[in-house]
Amino acid sequence: MAIQLDHQNKRAHLYNDRISYVMETFEGELIHSYWGKRMTLPEWSPIIPVDVFASFYPNPNPDNPTYSLDTLPREYPDFGRSDYGHPAVRVRLHDGTAITRFVVKSMELVDEKKPLKGLPYVYTEEGDDVQTLKVTLGDQKSGLFLDLYYTIHSDYDAIIRHCEIRNQGQETCQIENLMSASLDFYNDRNFDLIHFPGSWSRERDFSRIPVGRSSHLVESRRGSSSHMQNPLVLLARPETDDLGGQVYAMNFVYSGSFKAVVEVNSMDSTRFQMGLQDFDFSWKLKAGESFTSPEVVMVYSDQGFNGMSDAFHRLYRNRLMRGEHRDKERPVLINNWEATYFEFTEDKLKSICDVASETGLELFVLDDGWFGVRNSDRSGLGDWFVNKDKLPEGLKGTADYINGKGMQFGLWFEPEMISADSDLYRAHPNWILHAKGHIRSQGRNQMVLDYSRRDVQDYIIEVVGNILASHPIEYVKWDMNRNMTEVHSEILPIDRQGEVTHRYMLGLYRVLGKLTERFPQILFESCSGGGGRFDPGMLYYMPQTWTSDDTDAHERLSIQYGTSFAYPPIAMGAHVSVAPNHQVGRMTSLKTRALTSMMANLGYELDLSQLSQDEKDQVKRQVAFYKSIRKDIQFGRFLRLLAPGDSRGTAFMTESPDKKRYYLFYFRGLNRPHVASFTLPLHYLAHGSYKGKIINFDDGKAMDHTFPIPPMDNETLGKRTYTSDFLNRFGYTFDRQAGDFDSHLIIFERCDT
Ligand code: DGJ
């Protein structure tokens, strides 16, 4: 891994064993030359394409009319000088113009990766083979400078980018747009755009369209990364799928509004950008001040979507998530939300806890409703003191009971929100985002605290901190259940109101930073009405996220499929809930619900005390089994084999970290009559011989499907061995199924070592 620099000509080549990224300078302009599979550059002969085009492509240099910025492949386009594409930077100067000419000043190597003050970021650890390139651009007229940072690791196929803008001029200006990453693929629009739209309880659908010849925006303007889009955008070759092909990805390490641009120009070049949303953003930059953008992680893979995901997963598991829990197996939890909603008593919680403890569950999470006057979602948010009507023995009594049963105690908070009917609101009606003379819109009957205010941040740090310090709490679920409206802060001046949403995020990150630093032993899980903020920004502070409020096993396959494109299974909270399911009313077996959750971070969310003895026994076997495999699942390589929607079913596989065990999860979906059995090639098994084992929690016996020729059971399977070649190329044969939503887990274990 290295960064090759040509100071004289201002060119840089970032590379490791698998990827290359090249920038050059032409007439002072920073040019994007290449991103993709590792290559060897010719001895600094330029690779910039400079074509001459007709008069409708103006020339920024009157002395050299041979080029236009509209057609050059640019690395960080500024605004106003013949480039009609989306700029990466646009600053409104004191004279009212927004025209800048940022030319390359220098390129220098920085061995370490600088922390981003106040923002989440991909960090490095001692011994990491990592280098950072700083490219400085300057605009002579305004005195503005841009430092573009690029980090490359030898072990991860990612380039991590952010930028800093410095005002070295005499005048105040307004940043109107500042992308964290931007580049142009010259004369190349052979891409599909892939993004992950959705809604509450339908997060991260896989959506794929050809980029064609126009502009596409993937964005959130809601004040959070949101359910509706995810800050993950892919450009893939049309033939790319999970198993193979080229893909270029950007993922924003940020939890607020964002924007990604994919734009094809008239010469078939594709611009790809990601950064802060500029729709309702501006930032006042006085002389001498600087502003830092959040980071974008850019991954290239020629190994299909699975190759790309593996790069994201390893990087995030090892260098984004932090703290004591990063490398620890995560506890199997029971959460009372779907079991009781707001209507619980101490006795009810105890009855669930008793069964949870008997079945081997490790952590009891008390969800919404334990505080203030919180008997519905109409009141109480903000009043973070225990509701003694529900919990007469207080939080301490509940925690002691749970601890007495050998389980850890975890607690739900929603500290960014406030109910109109709360003591906190009555005391501080102006602590919310609001604007004088405008209605205060509610969402789920609640309003948004103004986290851009220091006094609000400090209050939350103190109140939540006191509860955590005075109770044996080992897990926190940090929820957030609405998007922003009336975005205005009472304490900011008029010309800083465009800063509110970003200041909110900086405030939130400060609060999270303080609390997670003070309580390193606590496992934090983020949540936003399920997966409304499933993004790398939150993962930096909280190493797991509640994936979705939709707990239906069949629906979850699509949600977890989409989520897994960037985010590793250890980060995905996945719970077994009751059937019929509360969101869609669907019946699925306890086994199918468990297998869906076991691909990720298993938990339960139902009234265990209502289960039959048979079901309790099954849960007990599931929990014991998951504990025996969770190290492999949580730290292994996750692979998608069959996408949801495939008529043959959905299949995923996890490879254990030592590459000796492979867990094949298969889900049938809706059954169909008169269909052939099918054989699924496994593609990824390491070279060797394998024995297979079918896992069944019903009664411990094998299922009735084939391996590879029917009939086959565990006894027979255990005696036979199969080569990796056979399983990878020919595959594992699934027989016809009985009924809908059937599922299977088959473990293949190396037997030749
Ligand atoms: C939304 C979360 O996603 C649920 O799991 C639950 O915690 C509710 N909020 C509680 O209000």
Side-chain angles (χ1 to χ4, degrees):
M1 183 273 314
I3 296 175
Q4 207 179 343
L5 261 189
D6 172 358
H7 287 286
Q8 205 188 345
N9 297 306
K10 299 202 179 76
R11 297 169 187 167
H13 176 201
L14 293 83
Y15 63 89
N16 65 21
D17 290 344
R18 297 157 304 275
I19 59 170
S20 279
Y21 192 95
V22 182
M23 278 168 275
E24 298 173 277
T25 304
F26 174 78
E27 296 219 342
E29 312 286 342
L30 188 61
I31 300 299
H32 178 77
S33 302
Y34 179 79
W35 177 27
K37 199 174 173 73
R38 168 71 201 274
M39 65 153 173
T40 315
L41 265 189
E43 264 309 301
W44 294 126
S45 64
I47 54 174
I48 309 163
V50 183
D51 296 321
V52 184
F53 295 104
S55 51
F56 286 91
Y57 301 85
N59 319 117
N61 179 0
D63 299 330
N64 180 1
T66 62
Y67 75 97
S68 171
L69 297 179
D70 207 25
T71 53
L72 277 183
R74 304 186 77 198
E75 177 70 17
Y76 201 79
D78 54 7
F79 181 72
R81 296 179 298 124
S82 82
D83 182 339
Y84 297 93
H86 276 80
V89 54
R90 194 183 62 233
V91 183
R92 188 67 53 187
L93 303 170
H94 75 286
D95 62 2
T97 67
I99 306 159
T100 46
R101 177 165 189 254
F102 280 102
V103 297
V104 182
K105 293 286 180 194
S106 64
M107 291 182 171
E108 60 179 290
L109 290 185
V110 197
D111 270 332
E112 286 176 7
K113 183 169 185 293
K114 222 171 75 163
L116 264 69
K117 212 168 157 278
L119 285 164
Y121 64 96
V122 174
Y123 57 87
T124 56
E125 284 191 348
E126 214 172 312
D128 282 0
D129 188 14
V130 69
Q131 271 194 328
T132 298
L133 169 72
K134 179 170 135 186
V135 180
T136 299
L137 312 177
D139 175 50
Q140 204 183 357
K141 191 161 183 297
S142 63
L144 288 171
F145 285 84
L146 276 166
D147 297 322
L148 312 182
Y149 289 90
Y150 299 77
T151 298
I152 182 160
H153 283 251
S154 59
D155 295 338
Y156 304 100
D157 293 349
I159 308 259
I160 300 148
R161 286 179 65 170
H162 80 277
C163 71
E164 208 170 299
I165 183 161
R166 292 179 278 124
N167 186 352
Q168 312 259 95
Q170 306 296 317
E171 309 288 346
T172 298
C173 59
Q174 290 277 350
I175 306 168
E176 293 183 338
N177 178 31
L178 190 75
M179 293 286 99
S180 297
S182 177
L183 59 101
D184 291 351
F185 293 96
Y186 191 72
N187 194 8
D188 185 357
R189 61 172 183 87
N190 185 30
F191 295 114
D192 284 349
L193 161 64
I194 292 158
H195 64 121
F196 299 87
S199 80
W200 172 78
S201 82
R202 279 192 282 108
E203 297 91 337
R204 292 171 293 286
D205 256 349
F206 177 88
S207 162
R208 181 172 194 155
I209 46 167
V211 297
R213 300 179 65 183
S214 66
S215 298
H216 307 264
L217 280 186
V218 178
E219 59 178 350
S220 163
R221 302 171 180 174
R222 316 178 76 89
S224 72
S225 51
S226 88
H227 301 84
M228 291 71 183
Q229 294 290 347
N230 192 267
L232 171 69
V233 176
L234 278 43
L235 288 181
R237 299 300 180 195
E239 67 278 6
T240 301
D241 61 12
D242 279 322
L243 305 174
Q246 286 188 316
V247 53
Y248 300 83
M250 288 195 190
N251 193 198
F252 201 25
V253 187
Y254 191 67
S255 316
S257 299
F258 72 92
K259 177 174 100 169
V261 176
V262 174
E263 180 175 48
V264 178
N265 73 10
S266 58
M267 295 300 151
D268 289 341
S269 294
T270 306
R271 180 160 289 174
F272 192 14
Q273 298 178 328
M274 188 174 268
L276 290 172
Q277 171 63 258
D278 61 352
F279 177 77
D280 183 26
F281 168 83
S282 67
W283 193 277
K284 184 171 168 180
L285 201 65
K286 291 190 188 154
E289 288 183 343
S290 66
F291 177 89
T292 303
S293 81
E295 270 184 0
V296 163
V297 176
M298 310 199 317
V299 166
Y300 164 78
S301 174
D302 61 359
Q303 307 291 311
F305 302 135
N306 278 333
M308 175 206 70
S309 299
D310 186 45
F312 276 122
H313 291 183
R314 288 191 308 110
L315 184 67
Y316 290 174
R317 262 196 340 249
N318 299 327
R319 294 293 179 265
L320 178 72
M321 296 175 182
R322 300 173 305 156
E324 284 184 13
H325 294 278
R326 185 188 78 176
D327 302 327
K328 274 194 195 159
E329 291 176 35
R330 305 291 165 79
V332 189
L333 63 79
I334 170 78
N335 177 305
N336 74 305
W337 179 244
E338 283 203 22
T340 64
Y341 297 104
F342 293 104
E343 283 149 35
F344 57 83
T345 59
E346 215 167 57
D347 284 349
K348 180 80 229 173
L349 297 180
K350 285 179 181 172
S351 71
I352 298 174
C353 176
D354 291 347
V355 185
S357 153
E358 281 160 26
T359 48
L361 291 163
E362 297 162 306
L363 163 68
F364 187 104
V365 180
L366 176 54
D367 211 279
D368 196 353
W370 60 266
F371 52 91
V373 184
R374 183 75 171 165
N375 298 319
S376 74
D377 62 16
R378 308 197 73 83
S379 61
L381 283 177
D383 296 342
W384 299 111
F385 47 84
V386 72
N387 180 326
K388 288 262 183 167
D389 290 340
K390 285 186 183 172
L391 303 175
E393 294 171 48
L395 277 180
K396 170 114 181 45
T398 308
D400 286 349
Y401 185 86
I402 290 164
N403 291 162
K405 290 280 169 185
M407 297 175 71
Q408 299 177 330
F409 176 55
L411 197 59
W412 179 97
F413 290 90
E414 191 175 358
E416 296 163 67
M417 297 290 152
I418 188 166
S419 308
D421 185 3
S422 68
D423 290 346
L424 187 67
Y425 189 66
R426 282 181 280 274
H428 299 285
N430 292 339
W431 272 15
I432 63 163
L433 293 178
H434 71 287
K436 226 173 160 185
H438 289 271
I439 202 165
R440 297 175 172 207
S441 302
Q442 302 209 2
R444 206 199 187 199
N445 309 301
Q446 61 199 49
M447 293 168 290
V448 185
L449 280 172
D450 181 358
Y451 264 50
S452 73
R453 292 174 66 137
R454 193 84 171 188
D455 52 354
V456 172
Q457 297 163 24
D458 288 341
Y459 175 80
I460 294 295
I461 292 169
E462 194 189 326
V463 171
V464 175
N466 286 346
I467 296 173
L468 299 184
S470 52
H471 297 90
I473 295 169
E474 295 179 76
Y475 162 105
V476 164
K477 178 175 174 187
W478 184 288
D479 203 350
M480 193 284 276
N481 280 293
R482 62 157 289 184
N483 292 137
M484 295 179 187
T485 52
E486 293 86 39
V487 177
H488 181 273
S489 176
E490 195 176 82
I491 57 161
L492 285 175
I494 289 170
D495 58 356
R496 287 200 179 272
Q497 291 300 330
E499 301 175 13
V500 175
T501 52
H502 185 57
R503 283 185 183 274
Y504 180 102
M505 292 317 303
L506 295 176
L508 173 63
Y509 290 147
R510 176 172 172 261
V511 172
L512 296 180
K514 293 266 180 217
L515 289 172
T516 52
E517 263 161 42
R518 182 168 169 206
F519 301 100
Q521 77 286 3
I522 293 180
L523 171 61
F524 283 82
E525 175 157 341
S526 89
C527 171
S528 173
R533 252 185 348 201
F534 207 133
D535 58 61
M538 293 314 271
L539 286 180
Y540 176 78
Y541 297 96
M542 313 198 193
Q544 53 190 66
T545 299
W546 176 225
T547 310
S548 176
D549 274 350
D550 186 350
T551 56
D552 171 66
H554 182 64
E555 291 274 305
R556 267 297 179 119
L557 294 178
S558 314
I559 296 169
Q560 292 175 193
Y561 175 84
T563 306
S564 74
F565 272 70
Y567 312 111
I570 193 171
M572 281 187 229
H575 299 176
V576 173
S577 62
V578 77
N581 171 267
H582 286 187
Q583 291 77 42
V584 294
R586 183 174 287 124
M587 292 297 296
T588 52
S589 69
L590 191 48
K591 177 185 171 198
T592 292
R593 282 174 272 153
L595 288 186
T596 308
S597 304
M598 280 187 196
M599 300 174 340
N601 195 339
L602 173 72
Y604 288 78
E605 189 171 329
L606 72 173
D607 187 349
L608 291 171
S609 68
Q610 298 298 307
L611 297 185
S612 67
Q613 192 53 47
D614 264 10
E615 288 170 321
K616 287 180 195 165
D617 291 344
Q618 212 183 132
V619 169
K620 195 171 177 171
R621 283 197 292 269
Q622 292 171 351
V623 174
F625 172 75
Y626 184 73
K627 286 180 187 169
S628 75
I629 65 164
R630 77 176 143 189
K631 202 168 185 174
D632 287 346
I633 297 291
Q634 296 181 356
F635 299 97
R637 178 163 68 134
F638 183 76
L639 299 153
R640 294 171 297 265
L641 297 183
L642 273 185
D646 192 298
S647 60
R648 294 165 297 174
T650 305
F652 304 99
M653 189 163 72
T654 302
E655 175 188 68
S656 66
D658 62 5
K659 300 188 191 310
K660 290 188 173 160
R661 290 166 301 285
Y662 291 81
Y663 300 85
L664 173 62
F665 293 89
Y666 170 73
F667 303 88
R668 184 73 186 91
L670 284 179
N671 207 4
R672 306 198 63 205
H674 201 235
V675 289
S677 58
F678 87 99
T679 300
L680 178 68
L682 304 186
H683 297 286
Y684 292 97
L685 266 50
H687 183 73
S689 304
Y690 290 83
K691 278 193 173 9
K693 191 159 98 192
I694 301 163
I695 304 299
N696 182 353
F697 308 108
D698 294 333
D699 53 10
K701 289 199 197 116
M703 300 297 294
D704 57 351
H705 61 282
T706 64
F707 182 73
I709 302 153
M712 185 67 69
D713 57 20
N714 265 336
E715 214 178 306
T716 327
L717 264 181
K719 288 184 196 138
R720 294 195 176 172
T721 60
Y722 297 92
T723 63
S724 48
D725 286 355
F726 174 82
L727 291 169
N728 285 342
R729 292 175 195 155
F730 180 77
Y732 179 83
T733 304
F734 289 93
D735 201 357
R736 286 184 195 174
Q737 311 288 305
D740 293 337
F741 311 118
D742 201 4
S743 59
H744 302 287
L745 169 58
I746 304 107
I747 306 178
F748 299 96
E749 185 152 12
R750 280 279 292 275
C751 54
D752 57 350
T753 50

